[in-house]
Amino acid sequence: MPGTEEAQKLIKEFSEKNIDECCRSSTFTVEVEESVRGHIHQELVSWLLYRKLAADCCRSNIALHGFGLLFEKSAIECLTDACWLERYLIQRGGRCKPTNLEVPAFEFPDNPVEPIVPLNRAVECERKILDDLERLMKLAEKAGCYSLCTALDKRFLGKQTHHVKDMADLLQQTVRVSKHPGHGIFHLDRELRRAKGNMPWGKVNDPDSVALAIDNICSQLDKAEV
């Protein structure tokens, strides 16, 4: 039958077609795809480092459970971001190609217990993520891949800038309280524990929160009677 033959012809044509290419725009180049996979790798390396730091904080010789909660949350976020970006990669017609992860060659100091070096590693880790995001953004702009630029800007860049500042502030606070060994670290860890691993001063570094507070103050002034 003519209709059946035409259907069989169409089925054969689409069976042999690379459907992934239908999802892939011309701006999502091979170089951009490789760069996205590179950032997924960076997120997973960071996840492994934070997992190591969180586990070390739970050791009885260290017992810094507030810092442990902070590192645990950071690890979960890195893994979540890696998974999100991997799904985005597939959505754009790319492929997942896992790579070997570098094992953290690092031990949390326990004699004496001192979080300064681990926190310095954490600051470097957050800055590497930000630098890699900016590199990926620059490459996406060069390729004209504006949908990737929008995704990076909306989900990653703002919060990552915030993370770098928060972690650097925590490093400075730790250096400050470490001038009195033991006692200061105990109180800082307790603050982190009470905040469930969140930065107690996190909103202070958020421009949106500051802008909202200013708007509230201006609104109250507008309502005030002179």
Side-chain angles (χ1 to χ4, degrees):
M1 296 176 65
T4 304
E5 291 177 1
E6 185 66 23
Q8 291 294 331
K9 183 180 178 181
L10 287 171
I11 290 170
K12 185 176 185 298
E13 178 185 345
F14 280 94
S15 295
E16 295 173 353
K17 193 171 184 179
N18 184 353
I19 305 300
D20 278 345
E21 290 300 321
C22 297
C23 303
R24 192 185 192 101
S25 65
S26 60
T27 58
F28 195 71
T29 63
V30 173
E31 187 180 8
V32 170
E33 181 183 356
E34 288 289 343
S35 193
V36 170
R37 282 200 289 264
H39 188 70
I40 292 172
H41 177 84
Q42 182 63 52
E43 293 281 4
L44 291 175
V45 168
S46 303
W47 163 75
L48 197 56
L49 172 65
Y50 280 126
R51 283 293 307 139
K52 166 64 174 168
L53 292 176
D56 282 351
C57 285
C58 292
R59 290 175 52 209
S60 295
N61 280 0
I62 297 174
L64 291 175
H65 299 292
F67 282 92
L69 284 171
L70 169 69
F71 294 139
E72 185 72 35
K73 282 178 175 286
S74 298
I76 291 171
E77 184 170 346
C78 288
L79 183 59
T80 301
D81 287 345
C83 291
W84 188 94
L85 204 52
E86 184 179 76
R87 287 306 177 104
Y88 179 85
L89 176 70
I90 301 302
Q91 185 185 68
R92 297 297 304 275
R95 292 188 180 187
C96 171
K97 295 182 179 180
T99 51
N100 294 328
L101 299 180
E102 300 85 354
V103 177
F106 175 75
E107 292 291 334
F108 201 114
D110 62 359
N111 188 22
V113 174
E114 186 51 75
I116 291 176
V117 175
L119 281 173
N120 187 51
R121 291 290 185 97
V123 173
E124 291 175 353
C125 176
E126 296 294 347
R127 195 174 62 245
K128 282 181 181 178
I129 293 175
L130 179 59
D131 288 344
D132 197 60
L133 281 170
E134 290 181 339
R135 176 195 58 79
L136 180 55
M137 174 71 90
K138 184 177 180 180
L139 181 62
E141 286 179 343
K142 182 180 177 182
C145 192
Y146 299 116
S147 55
L148 176 57
C149 291
T150 300
L152 294 175
D153 184 49
K154 184 178 179 181
R155 181 175 175 91
F156 295 100
L157 284 170
K159 74 168 185 177
Q160 191 55 39
T161 304
H162 192 186
H163 288 343
V164 173
K165 178 64 166 68
D166 280 348
M167 202 64 77
D169 283 1
L170 181 58
L171 174 59
Q172 174 60 16
Q173 292 280 4
T174 305
V175 170
R176 188 172 293 142
V177 301
S178 292
K179 294 173 183 177
H180 304 283
H183 190 67
I185 296 297
F186 166 79
H187 284 288
L188 186 54
D189 183 69
R190 185 171 63 179
E191 285 295 312
L192 289 170
R193 201 164 61 244
R194 285 175 174 171
K196 301 185 187 310
N198 298 309
M199 296 291 185
W201 55 83
K203 290 185 178 180
V204 176
N205 289 329
D206 185 354
D208 291 333
S209 295
V210 174
L212 182 61
I214 293 173
D215 287 343
N216 288 337
I217 293 171
C218 292
S219 177
Q220 291 175 16
L221 289 174
D222 289 340
K223 294 177 182 178
E225 295 183 3
V226 180

